[in-house]
Amino acid sequence: MRNFSISLFFLVLFISAQAQLVLPEKGARICSARKSSLPFAPVLKSTENIAPHSFDVLNYRLDLNLYQNFLSPYSHYFKGSNIMTFLVDSTLSSIRLNAVKSSITVDSVRMAGSSFTQSATILTIQLDRQYNPGETVDVKICYHHNNITDQVFNVKNGFVFTDCEPEGARKWFPCWDKPSDKATLEAFIKVPSAAKLGSNGRLVDSTFNGDTLTYHWKSINPVATYLTVLTGKMNYKLDIVYWHKLSNPNDSVPMRFYFNSGENPDPMENIIGPMTTWYSQSFCEHPFEKNGFATLNDEFYWGGMENQTLTSLCTNCWSEGLVSHEYAHQWFGDMITCATWADIWLNEGFATWTEARWIEKNFGYAGYKQSIMDDASSYFAGIPNAPWAISNPSWAVVTPDVNTLFDYSVTYAKGSCALHQVRYLLGDSMFFQVMQAYSNDPLLKYNSATVADFNAKVNEVTGENYDWYFQDWIFQKYHPVYQNTYNFEDAGNGNWNVHYFTTQVQTNTGFFRMIQEIRIVFDDSSDTTFRVMNDANYQQYTWTFTKKPVGLTFDPGNEIVLKESNTFVGIVDAGKDQSFVLLQNIPNPVVNHTVITFRSEKDLNVKLEIMDLTGKVIAIPVNGFRKAGLNVLDVNCSSYASGVYYYRLTAGEKSQVRKMVIAH
């Protein structure tokens, strides 16, 4: 597991705001730490992807004989078949599927399949005739899994399980292995009579034939291939608890808990009912006819994996944080699945945020906000190693490596914060209307979604256009760095003007539009809070009041959590000369570049001097005319030795000096 430090800024901010609550360990952090440290990368190179996709898979029917896999010598070899039913989208006489030949070897094709060829990663099936759009076709693929270890079909000492994300399903059955094409699933699995085996959907029946037990699992809801699962073990422990539906309390949903000897899932069995109710009230009613969790063995490299209706957990990982995160995926990731890996925010960002939502039930908004601030701290700690946006459109075409796709700081932590900021923008009432409308949308429910789909749902429910938020905060890397100033002006006759200047000084990314909340406190101890739209850099606002202002706070609730604002300057004494103001440089300490900002009331000739500790001028980066208003100077300090320096800005007849630290 990674160690994530909390920046001093956020630590001081949060400790000053409230006492720390003792919250459950972050399940998202456990999930990411395992996913992003896999000893393999089950993805394809771009040249191995199959396109175009000229058919829609409707159902996979798997018939597998896993009997010998549960018994010594625990071979990885099995024989099976897959009857794939698909709907033709455009005229075709052949189809291409994903099938990794080193793991699975195709023996024959039947039904509508007449012949086949199998390359290293692609199975091409010639059909018995040309099929036209609208026709439904069945192809039977007979194959066997080779006796190899591939980290997807896992076998060890009577334990057998599959583990597919992001694109590993192609290693245990031929399929079209992208998240956008979900299909129903039916599985007939032969195992020894002493084994228990779970899969997607509900258990239709289990039948004995001598010492062989055949499980029949069926998912009536479409499943993405990376969410398909088989989990079985000799003498597995199994508890079943029931959750009663909100819409019909007489109807119940079985929650199956598979666990190893010596483990105690009782605390999670007690929590799963209230958690299901809370999620159902927040989003939509629990969407599947069954659900469950299964702890695995040391061959499971992840903390948890949200397989549809049967979540995999690491050994003895019955922790509230991990369960709350993985279970949230049943809504965000399973019921509504990311259409491409560029849309992973809709899975991991939403599930991480939902962890905080569960904390809110037990600890109130203070607990929720503490969880969100922990996410923000993790993002800021991790960004030096993750310089990319939450969503990268190229990931829709080329699957990124798992270290990028499941990076905790961006995919999980920043993703959670980005959804929190949507809550801030909309307010609770409208936000949860959006979440419920998104979860219940018949075009998205049990289907796939893109970031654009969620964006459209926000616009639809609110009646406003929030495209700007998604463009700036989801598709743009890094975050804003605010350097704001204000001053109060006695306008006479009992009136006071408040002048507020807001600017962003980051140089590694673009401008971030955002609605800012401003609180102004007056000398009678009253205050007012309002919002302004900051849609351009270097914006100035002026407000007039009939009482004297004595303080101004930008983002008083710290709801814009994906920001830096460590040089906010307040100029509150109207009697002082405010015609020229020099602000502290940022970042400080400086690595290579820093930004020095000043504001003046008139056009001036400006000289910026860099001085060492003795006062000796060692450089003059700026010497020339500057217009009135806010001026931002980008200063290259890469040639200076590490140490303490001063910078002096002379504008007309006035000059001001500040200190900066350079630490290469």
Side-chain angles (χ1 to χ4, degrees):
M1 185 183 301
R2 300 178 182 179
N3 293 317
F4 295 97
S5 62
I6 300 176
S7 68
L8 179 62
F9 168 68
F10 282 108
L11 186 62
V12 172
L13 172 69
F14 207 74
I15 290 176
S16 65
Q18 63 183 55
Q20 293 285 300
L21 299 169
V22 180
L23 304 180
E25 182 182 10
K26 277 281 184 179
R29 186 177 285 118
I30 301 171
C31 175
S32 169
R34 295 293 186 108
K35 288 185 179 182
S36 61
S37 60
L38 289 171
F40 65 100
V43 297
L44 294 180
K45 298 177 182 178
S46 59
T47 55
E48 296 171 317
N49 288 330
I50 51 177
H53 186 209
S54 55
F55 56 91
D56 176 17
V57 181
L58 303 178
N59 186 71
Y60 295 104
R61 173 184 164 138
L62 304 178
D63 289 84
L64 309 179
N65 188 344
L66 305 186
Y67 185 95
Q68 293 297 331
N69 305 110
F70 286 88
L71 303 176
S72 180
Y74 308 112
S75 169
H76 287 75
Y77 177 90
F78 71 79
K79 293 195 69 173
S81 66
N82 172 18
I83 298 177
M84 190 181 80
T85 303
F86 60 92
L87 178 68
V88 178
D89 291 340
S90 60
T91 302
L92 54 82
S93 57
S94 67
I95 60 171
R96 304 178 76 203
L97 300 175
N98 299 113
V100 177
K101 193 172 184 178
S102 60
S103 290
I104 55 177
T105 300
V106 175
D107 300 313
S108 65
V109 294
R110 302 175 186 178
M111 302 176 79
S114 61
S115 63
F116 73 94
T117 57
Q118 186 179 8
S119 66
T121 60
I122 302 299
L123 172 65
T124 302
I125 300 175
Q126 297 297 322
L127 303 177
D128 57 357
R129 65 174 175 86
Q130 180 173 285
Y131 288 87
N132 298 312
E135 291 191 84
T136 301
V137 185
D138 292 316
V139 171
K140 184 174 184 179
I141 307 164
C142 300
Y143 68 99
H144 64 269
H145 190 278
N146 301 314
N147 187 22
I148 66 161
T149 301
D150 57 19
Q151 287 81 39
V152 171
F153 182 72
N154 300 280
V155 176
K156 184 177 182 181
N157 297 333
F159 223 133
V160 177
F161 68 91
T162 60
D163 186 24
C164 299
E165 193 179 22
E167 294 174 356
R170 63 193 73 184
K171 289 186 175 183
W172 71 278
F173 69 100
C175 56
W176 200 84
D177 198 16
K178 289 290 183 179
S180 60
D181 193 354
K182 300 170 70 172
T184 55
L185 178 71
E186 192 166 13
F188 296 83
I189 313 296
K190 290 182 172 64
V191 301
S193 58
K196 289 185 177 67
L197 181 135
S199 185
N200 307 97
R202 66 182 177 90
L203 181 61
V204 178
D205 58 44
S206 54
T207 58
F208 286 96
N209 183 5
D211 64 349
T212 300
L213 176 60
T214 300
Y215 281 96
H216 178 194
W217 288 94
K218 184 175 183 178
S219 176
I220 61 174
N221 302 119
V223 187
T225 50
Y226 80 91
L227 296 169
T228 57
V229 67
L230 299 175
T231 301
K233 183 186 178 184
M234 298 291 286
N235 302 309
Y236 225 171
K237 304 295 183 181
L238 172 63
D239 288 347
I240 304 176
V241 299
Y242 293 88
W243 176 76
H244 294 272
K245 293 184 177 180
L246 303 181
S247 59
N248 181 9
N250 293 322
D251 190 7
S252 60
V253 177
M255 304 286 179
R256 303 172 72 93
F257 289 78
Y258 297 88
F259 58 101
N260 301 300
S261 296
E263 296 182 355
N264 179 20
D266 288 354
M268 292 306 101
E269 292 178 13
N270 295 330
I271 281 176
I272 200 65
M275 188 178 290
T276 305
T277 297
W278 184 243
Y279 289 177
S280 296
Q281 292 170 337
S282 298
F283 314 126
C284 70
E285 187 164 63
H286 179 272
F288 301 115
E289 56 187 334
K290 169 272 246 170
N291 226 302
F293 301 85
T295 48
L296 305 182
N297 62 8
D298 59 2
E299 289 200 324
F300 183 61
Y301 293 102
W302 301 9
M305 176 58 213
E306 65 275 12
N307 308 300
Q308 189 163 307
T309 73
L310 185 60
T311 294
S312 296
L313 301 174
C314 49
T315 304
N316 203 29
C317 290
W318 296 108
S319 69
E320 183 177 349
L322 180 60
V323 168
S324 69
H325 175 91
E326 300 300 344
Y327 194 42
H329 278 304
Q330 299 302 312
W331 284 261
F332 306 117
D334 294 17
M335 182 188 76
I336 300 179
T337 305
C338 60
T340 74
W341 299 118
D343 307 297
I344 191 69
W345 177 54
L346 304 177
N347 288 23
E348 299 299 353
F350 279 45
T352 306
W353 178 87
T354 304
E355 272 191 77
R357 177 63 176 164
W358 170 246
I359 288 171
E360 185 171 4
K361 178 184 185 301
N362 298 307
F363 294 91
Y365 189 81
Y368 161 86
K369 188 62 180 301
Q370 181 174 322
S371 181
I372 293 297
M373 293 307 299
D374 179 75
D375 292 336
S377 296
S378 295
Y379 161 67
F380 282 102
I383 51 172
N385 300 314
W388 51 78
I390 291 173
S391 179
N392 187 328
S394 68
W395 296 351
V397 180
V398 180
T399 305
D401 65 87
V402 292
N403 292 314
T404 299
L405 189 61
F406 300 116
D407 175 81
Y408 182 68
S409 61
V410 174
T411 299
Y412 294 76
K414 187 179 184 183
S416 171
C417 293
L419 188 58
H420 164 76
Q421 290 185 171
V422 175
R423 181 179 183 177
Y424 155 72
L425 288 172
L426 305 187
D428 276 12
S429 177
M430 189 64 73
F431 173 77
F432 285 107
Q433 287 183 50
V434 167
M435 297 300 284
Q436 290 164 358
Y438 175 68
S439 301
N440 286 287
D441 189 320
L443 298 179
L444 302 177
K445 196 172 187 178
Y446 306 114
N447 210 325
S448 300
T450 64
V451 173
D453 290 325
F454 183 68
N455 183 355
K457 186 59 61 178
V458 171
N459 293 350
E460 174 191 323
V461 174
T462 63
E464 304 287 342
N465 188 334
Y466 284 93
D467 293 359
W468 57 269
Y469 178 79
F470 292 84
Q471 291 166 7
D472 293 357
W473 295 85
I474 306 301
F475 295 104
Q476 190 167 232
K477 63 183 180 179
Y478 297 120
H479 57 273
V481 179
Y482 289 99
Q483 187 163 285
N484 305 323
T485 64
Y486 65 88
N487 62 67
F488 304 143
E489 176 190 8
D490 186 348
N493 299 318
N495 294 318
W496 288 82
N497 292 329
V498 175
H499 302 290
Y500 172 66
F501 306 87
T502 181
T503 185
Q504 295 175 24
V505 297
Q506 64 274 6
T507 59
N508 55 3
T509 188
F511 178 78
F512 290 81
R513 288 165 286 186
M514 179 50 89
I515 294 175
Q516 294 186 10
E517 195 164 79
I518 307 297
R519 176 184 293 162
I520 299 175
V521 179
F522 301 96
D523 61 354
D524 61 359
S525 298
S526 63
D527 64 79
T528 183
T529 301
F530 50 90
R531 291 183 167 195
V532 296
M533 180 63 192
N534 175 213
D535 54 10
N537 213 352
Y538 314 120
Q539 274 187 314
Q540 177 178 347
Y541 305 85
T542 298
W543 307 288
T544 301
F545 300 95
T546 56
K547 48 188 173 181
K548 182 179 180 179
V550 294
L552 183 149
T553 306
F554 159 62
D555 190 21
N558 195 30
E559 304 294 353
I560 308 173
V561 293
L562 294 174
K563 72 174 186 305
E564 289 183 69
S565 184
N566 54 354
T567 57
F568 188 92
V569 177
I571 309 165
V572 298
D573 188 347
K576 292 183 178 179
D577 181 4
Q578 301 164 35
S579 61
F580 171 66
V581 177
L582 174 64
L583 304 180
Q584 183 65 50
N585 68 298
I586 55 172
N588 191 33
V590 181
V591 178
N592 290 313
H593 280 264
T594 192
V595 173
I596 296 175
T597 306
F598 73 93
R599 180 176 53 79
S600 67
E601 291 184 348
K602 57 185 178 180
D603 299 347
L604 293 168
N605 287 314
V606 172
K607 181 166 67 173
L608 175 65
E609 300 167 290
I610 308 296
M611 301 174 292
D612 62 19
L613 284 175
T614 68
K616 179 183 177 182
V617 176
I618 61 173
I620 304 177
V622 176
N623 191 2
F625 177 78
R626 290 292 187 274
K627 295 186 69 65
L630 201 64
N631 285 266
V632 179
L633 309 176
D634 183 15
V635 181
N636 187 343
C637 300
S638 59
S639 62
Y640 306 152
S642 297
V644 177
Y645 294 82
Y646 293 96
Y647 58 94
R648 176 172 57 210
L649 192 73
T650 302
E653 298 178 353
K654 302 173 183 178
S655 65
Q656 293 184 16
V657 177
R658 288 187 179 272
K659 182 171 68 175
M660 70 176 176
V661 177
I662 297 177
H664 296 302

